[in-house]
Amino acid sequence: MTVNGVGVAFSVNGVAHRLEVGPGETLLHTLRERLRLTGTKEGCVEGECGACTVLVDDKPVDSCIFITAALEGRRVRTVEGLSGDGALGPLQQAFIDYGSTQCGFCTPGFLMTLTALLEENPSPSPSEVRQALDGNICRCTGYRQIIEAVASGIENGGRP
Amino acid sequence: MQFRRAQTLDEALDVLGELGKDARILAGGTDVVIQYLHGEIAPETLVHIEGIGDLATVSLNHRTTLGPLVTHRALATDEALGTAHPALAASARTVGGWQTQAVGTIGGNICNASPAADTAPPLLVADAHVTLASRRGKRRLALTDFFIDRRQTVMDPDEMLTAIDLDPLPAGAGEAYLKLGRRGAMEVALVGMAVRIGFAADGTVDSARIALCSVAPTPRRVPEAEEALIGSRLNASVLDAAGEALRAAACPIDDARASASYRMRTLRGLLERAAIQCREAVTL
Ligand SMILES: Cc1cc2nc3c(=O)[nH]c(=O)nc-3n(C[C@H](O)[C@H](O)[C@H](O)COP(=O)(O)OP(=O)(O)OC[C@H]3O[C@@H](n4cnc5c(N)ncnc54)[C@H](O)[C@@H]3O)c2cc1C
Ligand code: FES
Ligand code: FES
């Protein structure tokens, strides 16, 4: 089988990239293996667990089943983009404050889905938070602390 | 494998006309990529159509027309669409998680032709028709005639789905989509049922459409069950008869998620619940 490279231009966390990728290469692979952005995690590799969630044009997608070549002209954001100048973003800090992370494997995915949610709806109800997280699985925390972390920001009158 | 980007419908049809069955359309990829990664398909060329903006439009009229690239997220959140098609919106909300709904499309759901395709029953009760296009021309057919078998449709290798048109919910009618699963989210339907019932001013049923998924190789309407409801006030004996007709039309399988006999036994109860939702949705 011949594999033909595909040229594709897109941005990751505001940085423009022009890459030659395999036609079946997934965004998860591109991020971790080519761009060395290893914050995005590989769990199930079939769209079930959400550990690999990143934002494409502000929408959460499972990068393990997203073809990189389909990204022409699009914007990707990963967990690495949530912190700046060595400081954690507010949602990341809230996760620490509320014990919303234990082993941490699911955390980047949760943070990205919640980032998309809070951009779309700055004060979601607990049930809206739970629904937005349908596609993110955590085997450690039991979700309550995660929902509390989001609520903390709403109670503070803004983003966590 | 090769990757081709189609920016217009013409470009996509050219590639399909040239490559036929060696080409595989890539929309949101939530089915295609998993099948590719699992080695179930090995296309020579992926034809990426997500960039064809014309195919993502929604038009609400005496018939609703949906482009194949309308995402589950759009179906689930668009208010006007949700009012005209409550069961379709409800079904889209049950597809995977937000990540699946954000990229997964209605065209992909139909063309993948899974027995468990959640949008199929609500489309069937809205008398959906599909338009297929190729370099050879266009044809329009009823969705009931589109599915042949599990993961098989009447679409020829050079054809592509370009539109779905369907009846909005008329005045005096209600509809519902119920999906039975073992958990509330990220679940493949054990049984999916869409029901659309129209009521006369005195509360009797004057039209009824019922469609199922996950109980046969293809999603299907069940006319015998529909007829059982017409002229009734949805009393228990009528629901029993309609439930019996549903069981006669179903041929579910045993699998890791549920037994065939369990699926069969849920049909009468699901119908009753859906019928109540339809009745509660209308004010006479
Ligand atoms: C985690 C997860 C959960 C899921 N849960 C559900 C669920 O609960 N219910 C459910 O029904 N589905 C579910 N799915 C399946 C899938 O998300 C849907 O079927 C989705 O609608 C497919 O759309 P897509 O755009 O991703 O299709 P793609 O994967 O891009 O394409 C699917 C098939 O359709 C063909 N195709 C796509 N568009 C066209 C077109 N316009 N013309 C001709 N052929 C076309 C493709 O070639 C391919 O064969 C799930 C998938 C995942 C990964
Ligand atoms: S690794 Fe992508 S959803 Fe699990
Ligand atoms: S913290 Fe371990 S899976 Fe979520």
Side-chain angles (χ1 to χ4, degrees):
Chain A
M1 189 172 69
T2 54
V3 168
N4 303 274
V6 191
V8 58
F10 58 98
S11 72
V12 180
N13 301 327
V15 179
H17 293 275
R18 176 172 289 282
L19 302 175
E20 181 97 352
V21 300
E25 181 169 325
T26 64
L27 176 54
L28 179 63
H29 181 92
T30 307
L31 290 171
R32 291 183 58 90
E33 308 298 332
R34 287 186 195 270
L35 303 178
R36 296 287 164 196
L37 292 170
T38 54
T40 305
K41 300 302 181 216
E42 176 178 301
C44 63
V45 204
E46 44 189 31
E48 292 285 342
C49 76
C52 65
T53 304
V54 301
L55 306 188
V56 172
D57 293 340
D58 307 324
K59 291 178 307 218
V61 309
D62 292 318
S63 61
C64 69
I65 54 169
F66 197 98
I67 295 287
T68 304
L71 280 173
E72 182 66 28
R74 295 164 95 172
R75 269 182 312 118
V76 179
R77 285 189 284 160
T78 69
V79 70
E80 286 87 352
L82 296 186
S83 51
D85 298 331
L88 294 178
L91 190 59
Q92 291 173 304
Q93 188 58 51
F95 261 54
I96 293 175
D97 296 344
Y98 283 81
S100 315
T101 179
Q102 287 184 29
C103 80
F105 204 78
C106 69
T107 308
F110 273 89
L111 289 168
M112 297 320 289
T113 306
L114 289 170
T115 296
L117 174 67
L118 293 169
E119 286 176 2
E120 218 180 81
N121 175 2
S123 48
S125 66
S127 80
E128 286 171 328
V129 175
R130 242 178 269 126
Q131 203 182 355
L133 293 175
D134 277 351
N136 290 86
I137 290 175
C138 175
R139 290 290 83 151
C140 304
T141 68
Y143 306 99
R144 175 178 293 248
Q145 292 88 334
I146 293 171
I147 293 161
E148 283 171 0
V150 180
S152 74
I154 297 162
E155 279 156 21
N156 297 339
R159 307 264 295 277
Chain B
M1 190 164 76
Q2 298 214 5
F3 187 94
R4 304 266 291 261
R5 277 181 203 114
Q7 302 294 346
T8 64
L9 178 58
D10 280 339
E11 274 176 36
L13 295 182
D14 281 343
V15 179
L16 293 175
E18 180 193 328
L19 301 175
K21 63 176 169 34
D22 296 332
R24 171 70 66 157
I25 289 176
L26 176 71
T30 58
D31 284 314
V32 168
V33 178
I34 289 180
Q35 289 160 12
Y36 169 74
L37 293 176
H38 289 182
E40 289 165 30
I41 57 171
E44 281 179 19
T45 300
L46 287 177
V47 187
H48 184 229
I49 61 167
E50 253 182 326
I52 309 176
D54 298 350
L55 296 184
T57 54
V58 172
S59 114
L60 292 167
N61 230 312
H62 60 287
R63 286 278 279 183
T64 299
T65 306
L66 302 173
L69 294 179
V70 173
T71 61
H72 295 295
R73 181 74 177 167
L75 295 174
T77 57
D78 184 310
E79 270 182 41
L81 198 58
T83 306
H85 298 282
L88 185 60
S91 74
R93 271 179 220 119
T94 74
V95 173
W98 188 359
Q99 293 91 330
T100 329
Q101 293 169 21
V103 293
T105 63
I106 190 163
N109 198 226
I110 295 308
C111 294
N112 189 59
S114 158
D118 278 304
T119 63
L123 288 173
L124 287 168
V125 300
D127 187 33
H129 282 55
V130 293
T131 300
L132 307 178
S134 71
R135 272 283 150 261
R136 296 171 290 127
K138 263 192 190 181
R139 56 180 173 143
R140 177 174 170 275
L141 59 142
L143 186 60
T144 43
D145 299 327
F146 179 70
F147 301 115
I148 301 179
D149 204 344
R150 184 179 174 275
R151 289 216 198 147
Q152 276 179 44
T153 72
V154 299
M155 217 167 20
D156 286 323
D158 64 340
E159 278 184 317
M160 181 172 146
L161 172 67
T162 55
I164 304 169
D165 62 282
L166 59 159
D167 284 335
L169 188 65
E175 67 174 15
Y177 180 67
L178 298 181
K179 174 175 178 173
L180 190 68
R182 294 163 310 169
R183 51 180 177 171
M186 300 300 286
E187 179 66 300
V188 180
L190 302 179
V191 177
M193 183 186 295
V195 176
R196 179 184 281 199
I197 300 178
F199 297 90
D202 68 354
T204 56
V205 172
D206 65 10
S207 66
R209 293 174 182 167
I210 306 172
L212 300 171
C213 69
S214 281
V215 296
T218 65
R220 57 182 53 176
R221 284 265 298 265
V222 187
E224 301 77 11
E226 298 172 353
E227 280 152 26
L229 300 184
I230 307 276
S232 81
R233 305 183 80 94
L234 300 171
N235 44 320
S237 62
V238 166
L239 292 170
D240 286 344
E244 203 47 57
L246 292 177
R247 279 192 290 279
C251 47
I253 54 164
D254 287 314
D255 67 14
R257 292 173 300 114
S259 67
S261 96
Y262 174 76
R263 292 172 208 255
M264 285 293 221
R265 276 179 285 145
T266 64
L267 294 172
R268 159 73 167 78
L270 286 172
L271 175 63
E272 177 162 0
R273 264 194 261 164
I276 290 170
Q277 279 189 26
C278 291
R279 182 63 187 81
E280 285 175 348
V282 300
T283 38
L284 298 172

